[in-house]
Amino acid sequence: MTKMKFLSKTSVKKLSGVALLRLDFNTQDDWRLKAALPTIQFLLKYAKAIVILSHKGRPMGFQREFSLKSDAQHLGEFLKRPVNFFDEFNLIHIRKEAESAPPGSIFVLENLRFMPGEAKNDREFASNLALLGDYFVNEAFAVSHRENASVCAITEFLPSYAGLGLESEIVNLSKVMGAAKRPLLMIIGGAKMEDKLGVIKFFKSKADLFLVGGALANTLLKLRGVDIGSSLYEKSVSKDVAELAKNMKINLPTDYRIDNGAILDIGPKTEKKYEEEIAKARTIVWNGPMGMIEKEGFAHGTNAVARALAANIRAFTLVGGGETVMAVKKLKIDDRLSFISTGGGAMLDYLAGLKLPGLVALDRKRKANRE
Ligand code: 3PG
Protein backbone atom coordinates (compact mmCIF):
# COMPACT_ATOMS: atom_id res chain seq x y z
CA MET A 1 0.00 0.00 0.00
CA THR A 2 1.57 3.20 -1.11
CA LYS A 3 1.78 6.17 1.23
CA MET A 4 2.85 8.83 -1.22
CA LYS A 5 0.90 12.03 -1.92
CA PHE A 6 -0.74 12.22 -5.31
CA LEU A 7 -1.04 15.49 -7.18
CA SER A 8 -4.58 14.56 -8.21
CA LYS A 9 -5.68 14.39 -4.57
CA THR A 10 -3.84 17.49 -3.32
CA SER A 11 -5.69 20.66 -2.36
CA VAL A 12 -5.04 23.14 -5.16
CA LYS A 13 -4.30 25.78 -2.51
CA LYS A 14 -1.01 24.00 -1.91
CA LEU A 15 -0.06 24.24 -5.56
CA SER A 16 0.02 28.00 -6.05
CA GLY A 17 3.81 28.44 -5.82
CA VAL A 18 6.52 27.49 -8.32
CA ALA A 19 6.26 23.80 -9.27
CA LEU A 20 9.52 21.92 -9.72
CA LEU A 21 8.55 19.18 -12.14
CA ARG A 22 10.76 16.13 -12.88
CA LEU A 23 10.13 14.70 -16.35
CA ASP A 24 11.96 12.13 -18.47
CA PHE A 25 12.87 13.40 -21.95
CA ASN A 26 15.03 10.33 -22.54
CA THR A 27 13.46 8.92 -25.75
CA GLN A 28 14.25 9.15 -29.43
CA ASP A 29 10.88 10.68 -30.17
CA ASP A 30 8.48 12.75 -28.06
CA TRP A 31 6.17 10.11 -26.65
CA ARG A 32 7.28 10.44 -23.02
CA LEU A 33 6.95 14.19 -23.34
CA LYS A 34 3.42 13.82 -24.72
CA ALA A 35 2.55 11.49 -21.84
CA ALA A 36 3.54 14.25 -19.39
CA LEU A 37 1.30 16.90 -20.99
CA PRO A 38 -1.76 16.29 -18.73
CA THR A 39 0.36 16.95 -15.63
CA ILE A 40 1.85 20.09 -17.19
CA GLN A 41 -1.63 21.33 -18.18
CA PHE A 42 -2.89 20.56 -14.66
CA LEU A 43 -0.06 22.52 -13.04
CA LEU A 44 -0.53 25.42 -15.43
CA LYS A 45 -3.97 25.94 -13.90
CA TYR A 46 -2.68 26.35 -10.36
CA ALA A 47 1.08 26.98 -10.21
CA LYS A 48 2.73 30.38 -10.46
CA ALA A 49 5.33 28.89 -12.82
CA ILE A 50 6.75 25.49 -13.72
CA VAL A 51 10.45 24.67 -13.68
CA ILE A 52 11.13 21.39 -15.50
CA LEU A 53 14.01 19.07 -14.70
CA SER A 54 15.10 16.11 -16.81
CA HIS A 55 18.03 14.04 -17.99
CA LYS A 56 18.80 12.58 -21.41
CA GLY A 57 21.21 9.81 -22.32
CA ARG A 58 24.29 9.00 -20.27
CA PRO A 59 26.62 11.95 -21.00
CA MET A 60 30.15 12.17 -19.65
CA GLY A 61 30.06 15.77 -18.40
CA PHE A 62 28.79 18.38 -20.84
CA GLN A 63 28.10 16.91 -24.30
CA ARG A 64 26.12 19.08 -26.68
CA GLU A 65 24.30 16.15 -28.33
CA PHE A 66 22.57 15.44 -25.00
CA SER A 67 21.32 19.02 -24.56
CA LEU A 68 17.63 19.46 -23.74
CA LYS A 69 17.37 22.62 -25.86
CA SER A 70 15.40 20.94 -28.66
CA ASP A 71 13.16 19.13 -26.13
CA ALA A 72 12.29 22.49 -24.59
CA GLN A 73 11.43 23.74 -28.06
CA HIS A 74 9.21 20.70 -28.80
CA LEU A 75 7.44 21.19 -25.50
CA GLY A 76 6.67 24.79 -26.45
CA GLU A 77 5.24 23.57 -29.78
CA PHE A 78 3.01 21.00 -28.06
CA LEU A 79 1.79 23.48 -25.49
CA LYS A 80 1.55 26.35 -27.97
CA ARG A 81 3.24 28.71 -25.55
CA PRO A 82 6.80 29.94 -25.02
CA VAL A 83 9.10 27.70 -23.01
CA ASN A 84 12.27 29.26 -21.62
CA PHE A 85 15.41 27.17 -21.70
CA PHE A 86 18.38 27.69 -19.34
CA ASP A 87 21.66 26.31 -20.60
CA GLU A 88 23.51 27.14 -17.39
CA PHE A 89 22.99 25.92 -13.85
CA ASN A 90 22.89 29.39 -12.33
CA LEU A 91 20.20 28.34 -9.89
CA ILE A 92 19.80 31.64 -8.04
CA HIS A 93 19.26 33.47 -11.32
CA ILE A 94 16.73 30.83 -12.48
CA ARG A 95 14.79 31.09 -9.21
CA LYS A 96 14.57 34.87 -9.58
CA GLU A 97 13.37 34.55 -13.16
CA ALA A 98 10.70 31.98 -12.18
CA GLU A 99 9.46 34.14 -9.31
CA SER A 100 9.13 37.31 -11.33
CA ALA A 101 7.80 35.64 -14.50
CA PRO A 102 4.20 36.15 -15.62
CA PRO A 103 1.75 33.44 -14.44
CA GLY A 104 1.91 30.26 -16.47
CA SER A 105 5.59 30.62 -17.39
CA ILE A 106 7.51 27.43 -18.10
CA PHE A 107 11.24 26.93 -17.74
CA VAL A 108 13.36 23.93 -18.73
CA LEU A 109 16.78 23.36 -17.21
CA GLU A 110 19.69 21.81 -19.11
CA ASN A 111 20.34 18.04 -18.84
CA LEU A 112 20.88 17.29 -15.15
CA ARG A 113 23.34 14.52 -15.97
CA PHE A 114 25.82 17.23 -17.03
CA MET A 115 26.19 17.78 -13.28
CA PRO A 116 28.10 15.16 -11.24
CA GLY A 117 25.76 15.47 -8.25
CA GLU A 118 22.77 14.08 -10.16
CA ALA A 119 23.89 10.47 -10.59
CA LYS A 120 25.42 10.48 -7.08
CA ASN A 121 22.08 11.40 -5.50
CA ASP A 122 24.06 14.20 -3.88
CA ARG A 123 22.15 15.93 -1.07
CA GLU A 124 23.82 19.28 -1.57
CA PHE A 125 23.05 19.31 -5.29
CA ALA A 126 19.47 18.28 -4.51
CA SER A 127 19.09 21.03 -1.90
CA ASN A 128 20.29 23.59 -4.45
CA LEU A 129 17.84 22.29 -7.05
CA ALA A 130 15.11 22.50 -4.43
CA LEU A 131 15.66 26.30 -4.28
CA LEU A 132 14.06 26.47 -7.72
CA GLY A 133 10.57 25.55 -6.61
CA ASP A 134 8.09 25.61 -3.74
CA TYR A 135 7.08 21.99 -4.23
CA PHE A 136 8.28 18.99 -6.20
CA VAL A 137 6.32 16.74 -8.61
CA ASN A 138 7.71 13.45 -9.86
CA GLU A 139 6.25 12.82 -13.31
CA ALA A 140 9.19 10.67 -14.36
CA PHE A 141 8.25 7.07 -13.65
CA ALA A 142 10.77 6.00 -16.31
CA VAL A 143 13.72 7.18 -14.19
CA SER A 144 12.25 6.32 -10.79
CA HIS A 145 14.41 3.18 -10.62
CA ARG A 146 17.49 5.42 -10.47
CA GLU A 147 18.81 6.83 -7.23
CA ASN A 148 19.36 10.29 -8.70
CA ALA A 149 19.35 13.65 -6.88
CA SER A 150 16.39 15.07 -8.82
CA VAL A 151 14.37 11.91 -8.20
CA CYS A 152 15.26 10.88 -4.64
CA ALA A 153 17.29 13.33 -2.51
CA ILE A 154 15.23 16.30 -3.66
CA THR A 155 12.16 14.97 -1.82
CA GLU A 156 13.98 15.70 1.47
CA PHE A 157 13.76 19.41 0.81
CA LEU A 158 10.33 20.11 -0.65
CA PRO A 159 6.71 18.96 -0.30
CA SER A 160 6.63 16.19 -2.89
CA TYR A 161 3.87 14.69 -5.02
CA ALA A 162 3.42 11.95 -7.57
CA GLY A 163 2.27 13.40 -10.92
CA LEU A 164 -0.82 12.21 -12.78
CA GLY A 165 1.14 9.90 -15.07
CA LEU A 166 3.16 8.43 -12.22
CA GLU A 167 -0.07 7.71 -10.35
CA SER A 168 -1.48 6.01 -13.43
CA GLU A 169 1.66 3.87 -13.76
CA ILE A 170 1.29 2.68 -10.17
CA VAL A 171 -2.43 1.96 -10.55
CA ASN A 172 -2.04 0.04 -13.82
CA LEU A 173 1.15 -1.86 -13.01
CA SER A 174 -0.35 -2.88 -9.67
CA LYS A 175 -3.24 -4.50 -11.53
CA VAL A 176 -0.99 -7.20 -12.91
CA MET A 177 1.00 -7.57 -9.70
CA GLY A 178 -2.07 -8.34 -7.62
CA ALA A 179 -5.08 -10.53 -8.36
CA ALA A 180 -5.01 -10.33 -12.15
CA LYS A 181 -7.68 -11.97 -14.30
CA ARG A 182 -6.63 -15.35 -15.70
CA PRO A 183 -5.27 -16.58 -17.98
CA LEU A 184 -2.35 -14.24 -17.30
CA LEU A 185 0.02 -14.16 -20.25
CA MET A 186 3.52 -12.67 -20.28
CA ILE A 187 5.08 -11.84 -23.65
CA ILE A 188 8.78 -11.24 -23.40
CA GLY A 189 11.17 -10.29 -26.19
CA GLY A 190 14.26 -8.22 -26.79
CA ALA A 191 17.93 -9.02 -26.59
CA LYS A 192 19.18 -9.45 -23.05
CA MET A 193 17.96 -12.32 -20.91
CA GLU A 194 19.32 -10.89 -17.66
CA ASP A 195 17.27 -7.66 -18.12
CA LYS A 196 14.03 -9.67 -18.14
CA LEU A 197 15.03 -12.33 -15.63
CA GLY A 198 13.59 -10.50 -12.60
CA VAL A 199 10.15 -10.19 -14.21
CA ILE A 200 10.14 -13.79 -15.42
CA LYS A 201 11.13 -15.01 -11.94
CA PHE A 202 8.46 -12.89 -10.24
CA PHE A 203 5.74 -14.17 -12.59
CA LYS A 204 7.05 -17.75 -12.86
CA SER A 205 4.29 -19.23 -10.76
CA LYS A 206 1.75 -16.40 -11.16
CA ALA A 207 1.57 -16.34 -14.97
CA ASP A 208 -0.20 -19.11 -16.87
CA LEU A 209 2.05 -18.88 -19.88
CA PHE A 210 5.07 -17.05 -21.30
CA LEU A 211 5.51 -16.35 -25.01
CA VAL A 212 9.11 -15.53 -25.79
CA GLY A 213 10.73 -13.99 -28.87
CA GLY A 214 13.74 -11.91 -29.86
CA ALA A 215 17.36 -12.78 -29.24
CA LEU A 216 16.55 -13.90 -25.73
CA ALA A 217 14.45 -16.72 -27.17
CA ASN A 218 17.58 -17.81 -29.06
CA THR A 219 19.44 -18.12 -25.75
CA LEU A 220 16.70 -20.37 -24.34
CA LEU A 221 16.44 -22.38 -27.59
CA LYS A 222 20.18 -23.00 -27.47
CA LEU A 223 19.89 -24.15 -23.84
CA ARG A 224 17.12 -26.55 -24.94
CA GLY A 225 19.52 -28.01 -27.48
CA VAL A 226 17.93 -26.49 -30.61
CA ASP A 227 20.21 -25.65 -33.54
CA ILE A 228 20.04 -21.85 -33.89
CA GLY A 229 22.69 -21.52 -36.61
CA SER A 230 24.56 -18.26 -36.43
CA SER A 231 21.83 -16.48 -34.41
CA LEU A 232 22.66 -14.00 -31.70
CA TYR A 233 22.49 -15.54 -28.22
CA GLU A 234 24.08 -15.15 -24.81
CA LYS A 235 26.89 -17.62 -24.32
CA SER A 236 27.36 -17.34 -20.59
CA VAL A 237 24.17 -17.28 -18.57
CA SER A 238 23.40 -17.57 -14.88
CA LYS A 239 22.08 -20.76 -13.25
CA ASP A 240 18.66 -19.09 -13.06
CA VAL A 241 18.49 -18.72 -16.84
CA ALA A 242 19.57 -22.32 -17.36
CA GLU A 243 16.76 -23.35 -14.98
CA LEU A 244 14.21 -21.26 -16.89
CA ALA A 245 15.02 -23.07 -20.12
CA LYS A 246 13.56 -26.20 -18.49
CA ASN A 247 10.30 -24.48 -17.52
CA MET A 248 7.59 -25.69 -19.87
CA LYS A 249 5.34 -22.68 -19.21
CA ILE A 250 7.87 -20.84 -21.33
CA ASN A 251 6.86 -21.11 -25.01
CA LEU A 252 9.63 -20.61 -27.53
CA PRO A 253 9.36 -20.12 -31.29
CA THR A 254 9.08 -23.31 -33.34
CA ASP A 255 9.77 -21.70 -36.72
CA TYR A 256 11.66 -18.59 -37.68
CA ARG A 257 12.38 -15.90 -40.26
CA ILE A 258 16.05 -16.23 -41.04
CA ASP A 259 18.69 -14.04 -42.68
CA ASN A 260 22.16 -15.41 -43.43
CA GLY A 261 21.68 -18.35 -41.09
CA ALA A 262 20.56 -16.15 -38.20
CA ILE A 263 17.06 -16.08 -36.65
CA LEU A 264 15.79 -12.51 -36.92
CA ASP A 265 12.08 -12.99 -36.25
CA ILE A 266 9.53 -15.61 -35.20
CA GLY A 267 8.00 -17.59 -38.08
CA PRO A 268 4.37 -17.81 -39.33
CA LYS A 269 3.47 -20.95 -37.32
CA THR A 270 4.76 -19.42 -34.10
CA GLU A 271 2.96 -16.20 -34.93
CA LYS A 272 -0.33 -18.14 -35.27
CA LYS A 273 0.22 -20.01 -31.99
CA TYR A 274 1.07 -16.74 -30.18
CA GLU A 275 -2.04 -15.04 -31.66
CA GLU A 276 -4.23 -17.90 -30.40
CA GLU A 277 -2.80 -17.67 -26.89
CA ILE A 278 -3.21 -13.89 -26.87
CA ALA A 279 -6.88 -14.24 -27.88
CA LYS A 280 -7.51 -16.57 -24.89
CA ALA A 281 -5.80 -14.45 -22.24
CA ARG A 282 -7.53 -12.00 -19.88
CA THR A 283 -4.41 -10.22 -18.63
CA ILE A 284 -1.45 -9.64 -20.94
CA VAL A 285 1.90 -8.02 -20.20
CA TRP A 286 4.25 -7.38 -23.12
CA ASN A 287 7.81 -6.07 -23.06
CA GLY A 288 10.32 -6.51 -25.90
CA PRO A 289 10.00 -7.08 -29.66
CA MET A 290 9.76 -10.57 -31.21
CA GLY A 291 12.50 -9.91 -33.75
CA MET A 292 14.97 -7.45 -35.18
CA ILE A 293 12.32 -4.84 -36.01
CA GLU A 294 14.82 -2.25 -37.15
CA LYS A 295 15.72 -4.48 -40.12
CA GLU A 296 13.36 -4.38 -43.09
CA GLY A 297 11.18 -7.51 -43.24
CA PHE A 298 11.67 -8.69 -39.66
CA ALA A 299 8.88 -6.88 -37.84
CA HIS A 300 6.20 -9.46 -38.82
CA GLY A 301 6.13 -11.23 -35.46
CA THR A 302 6.13 -8.02 -33.43
CA ASN A 303 3.34 -6.51 -35.56
CA ALA A 304 1.27 -9.71 -35.33
CA VAL A 305 1.59 -9.74 -31.54
CA ALA A 306 0.70 -6.03 -31.35
CA ARG A 307 -2.41 -6.47 -33.52
CA ALA A 308 -3.51 -9.56 -31.57
CA LEU A 309 -3.25 -7.59 -28.31
CA ALA A 310 -5.30 -4.73 -29.75
CA ALA A 311 -7.93 -7.21 -30.97
CA ASN A 312 -8.40 -8.78 -27.53
CA ILE A 313 -10.73 -6.19 -26.11
CA ARG A 314 -11.70 -8.39 -23.14
CA ALA A 315 -8.18 -8.48 -21.76
CA PHE A 316 -6.27 -5.97 -19.66
CA THR A 317 -3.27 -5.28 -21.91
CA LEU A 318 -0.13 -3.67 -20.52
CA VAL A 319 2.76 -2.78 -22.82
CA GLY A 320 6.15 -1.22 -22.04
CA GLY A 321 9.74 -0.85 -23.19
CA GLY A 322 11.03 1.70 -25.71
CA GLU A 323 11.09 -0.47 -28.86
CA THR A 324 7.80 -2.21 -28.06
CA VAL A 325 6.02 1.08 -27.50
CA MET A 326 7.46 2.52 -30.73
CA ALA A 327 6.17 -0.57 -32.59
CA VAL A 328 2.60 -0.21 -31.32
CA LYS A 329 2.64 3.53 -31.96
CA LYS A 330 3.83 2.95 -35.51
CA LEU A 331 0.83 0.67 -36.09
CA LYS A 332 -1.42 3.34 -34.52
CA ILE A 333 -3.05 0.82 -32.22
CA ASP A 334 -1.81 2.32 -28.96
CA ASP A 335 -5.25 3.65 -28.04
CA ARG A 336 -6.66 0.11 -28.21
CA LEU A 337 -4.37 -1.12 -25.45
CA SER A 338 -5.31 -0.78 -21.79
CA PHE A 339 -2.10 0.88 -20.66
CA ILE A 340 1.26 1.85 -22.13
CA SER A 341 3.96 2.27 -19.53
CA THR A 342 6.51 5.04 -20.04
CA GLY A 343 9.05 2.92 -18.20
CA GLY A 344 11.66 0.69 -19.75
CA GLY A 345 13.98 -0.47 -16.96
CA ALA A 346 11.63 1.10 -14.40
CA MET A 347 8.70 -1.03 -15.58
CA LEU A 348 10.82 -4.17 -15.53
CA ASP A 349 12.07 -3.43 -12.00
CA TYR A 350 8.54 -2.70 -10.81
CA LEU A 351 7.20 -5.91 -12.33
CA ALA A 352 10.08 -7.82 -10.80
CA GLY A 353 8.71 -6.78 -7.40
CA LEU A 354 11.60 -4.39 -6.67
CA LYS A 355 11.13 -1.17 -4.75
CA LEU A 356 11.89 1.79 -7.01
CA PRO A 357 14.02 4.39 -5.16
CA GLY A 358 12.02 7.32 -6.57
CA LEU A 359 8.76 5.86 -5.27
CA VAL A 360 10.32 4.92 -1.94
CA ALA A 361 11.49 8.55 -1.60
CA LEU A 362 7.91 9.82 -2.16
CA ASP A 363 6.57 7.28 0.34
CA ARG A 364 9.18 8.20 2.91
CA LYS A 365 8.36 11.86 2.47
CA ARG A 366 4.72 11.22 3.29
CA LYS A 367 5.73 9.39 6.45
CA ALA A 368 8.08 12.20 7.51
CA ASN A 369 5.29 14.76 6.99
CA ARG A 370 3.02 12.85 9.34
CA GLU A 371 5.60 12.66 12.14
C1 3PG B 1 15.13 5.20 -19.33
O1 3PG B 1 15.09 5.60 -20.49
O2 3PG B 1 14.94 3.99 -19.04
C2 3PG B 1 15.33 6.19 -18.23
O3 3PG B 1 15.34 7.50 -18.70
C3 3PG B 1 16.55 5.89 -17.42
O4 3PG B 1 17.71 6.05 -18.19
P1 3PG B 1 19.06 5.35 -17.75
O5 3PG B 1 18.90 3.89 -17.97
O6 3PG B 1 20.12 5.97 -18.61
O7 3PG B 1 19.29 5.66 -16.29
Side-chain angles (χ1 to χ4, degrees):
M1 193 44 193
T2 182
K3 295 175 228 76
M4 69 184 70
K5 287 199 243 174
F6 294 105
L7 191 62
S8 63
K9 298 178 182 73
T10 301
S11 155
V12 296
K13 279 189 249 153
K14 294 190 179 161
L15 305 178
S16 59
V18 177
L20 190 55
L21 175 64
R22 180 55 159 103
L23 299 185
D24 186 325
F25 287 134
N26 196 22
T27 43
Q28 278 160 15
D29 72 356
D30 293 319
W31 69 272
R32 276 186 185 158
L33 198 163
K34 283 190 197 149
L37 292 178
T39 287
I40 299 175
Q41 305 279 16
F42 180 89
L43 289 172
L44 277 172
K45 283 197 245 164
Y46 308 110
K48 184 179 164 60
I50 306 174
V51 177
I52 295 174
L53 308 174
S54 180
H55 72 286
K56 190 181 200 174
R58 294 178 179 171
M60 310 291 282
F62 177 83
Q63 284 181 267
R64 192 171 303 280
E65 64 268 36
F66 293 112
S67 171
L68 295 184
K69 194 171 177 184
S70 60
D71 301 273
Q73 210 177 322
H74 289 161
L75 182 61
E77 286 157 15
F78 283 131
L79 293 169
K80 297 188 179 52
R81 59 166 71 218
V83 168
N84 308 283
F85 176 68
F86 290 108
D87 60 0
E88 275 183 67
F89 288 91
N90 185 343
L91 302 179
I92 294 173
H93 167 72
I94 299 171
R95 171 76 210 194
K96 275 195 194 138
E97 290 271 322
E99 266 186 340
S100 57
S105 297
I106 301 180
F107 301 87
V108 173
L109 239 73
E110 185 51 288
N111 191 341
L112 291 178
R113 287 192 180 168
F114 290 169
M115 302 298 281
E118 171 66 358
K120 290 186 194 144
N121 195 26
D122 184 78
R123 286 188 82 242
E124 197 183 328
F125 180 58
S127 70
N128 287 332
L129 284 178
L131 297 174
L132 298 176
D134 297 306
Y135 58 94
F136 171 71
V137 178
N138 180 344
E139 182 61 340
F141 173 73
V143 72
S144 293
H145 60 319
R146 299 290 184 224
E147 216 164 341
N148 286 173
S150 66
V151 178
C152 297
I154 196 157
T155 61
E156 291 179 40
F157 304 100
L158 287 174
S160 299
Y161 307 99
L164 309 182
L166 180 57
E167 178 176 359
S168 193
E169 295 275 359
I170 295 171
V171 168
N172 284 290
L173 268 56
S174 305
K175 284 186 190 163
V176 301
M177 301 295 279
K181 280 199 186 142
R182 314 292 285 266
L184 167 55
L185 177 64
M186 304 291 294
I187 309 171
I188 309 282
K192 284 200 208 124
M193 192 67 222
E194 298 292 336
D195 286 356
K196 314 282 158 92
L197 190 58
V199 182
I200 300 177
K201 276 170 79 179
F202 188 88
F203 281 91
K204 210 165 61 178
S205 40
K206 216 171 134 55
D208 296 286
L209 204 65
F210 290 83
L211 305 178
V212 181
L216 62 83
N218 300 345
T219 303
L220 295 176
L221 284 165
K222 182 84 183 168
L223 287 166
R224 283 190 186 168
V226 176
D227 178 8
I228 58 164
S230 59
S231 310
L232 192 70
Y233 77 104
E234 284 170 80
K235 290 188 181 68
S236 63
V237 291
S238 63
K239 249 193 186 155
D240 284 343
V241 176
E243 256 332 287
L244 278 185
K246 296 182 201 148
N247 187 329
M248 285 305 138
K249 267 191 193 179
I250 297 185
N251 274 251
L252 298 179
T254 51
D255 66 331
Y256 326 99
R257 291 187 170 93
I258 294 176
D259 187 38
N260 272 330
I263 301 171
L264 295 192
D265 196 4
I266 58 174
K269 266 195 232 153
T270 309
E271 222 170 86
K272 194 161 177 290
K273 156 95 177 140
Y274 284 12
E275 282 165 351
E276 282 164 11
E277 295 299 347
I278 291 168
K280 283 189 255 169
R282 288 296 163 265
T283 304
I284 307 171
V285 180
W286 180 24
N287 185 300
M290 297 290 103
M292 198 185 245
I293 52 172
E294 61 277 27
K295 197 168 157 89
E296 177 92 37
F298 296 98
H300 283 271
T302 302
N303 290 345
V305 164
R307 289 198 185 97
L309 247 78
N312 186 346
I313 51 168
R314 286 202 290 162
F316 175 76
T317 47
L318 169 65
V319 173
E323 282 187 291
T324 320
V325 174
M326 300 280 233
V328 299
K329 288 203 179 275
K330 209 166 155 194
L331 293 174
K332 298 196 175 22
I333 52 163
D334 40 323
D335 57 346
R336 283 155 61 199
L337 303 170
S338 309
F339 187 70
I340 297 192
S341 174
T342 55
M347 172 186 166
L348 291 174
D349 280 3
Y350 194 97
L351 295 182
L354 301 177
K355 298 226 172 296
L356 307 195
L359 307 192
V360 171
L362 288 174
D363 268 345
R364 207 183 287 128
K365 180 72 187 180
R366 174 65 180 261
K367 241 164 94 193
N369 283 349
R370 280 208 191 125
E371 282 156 10

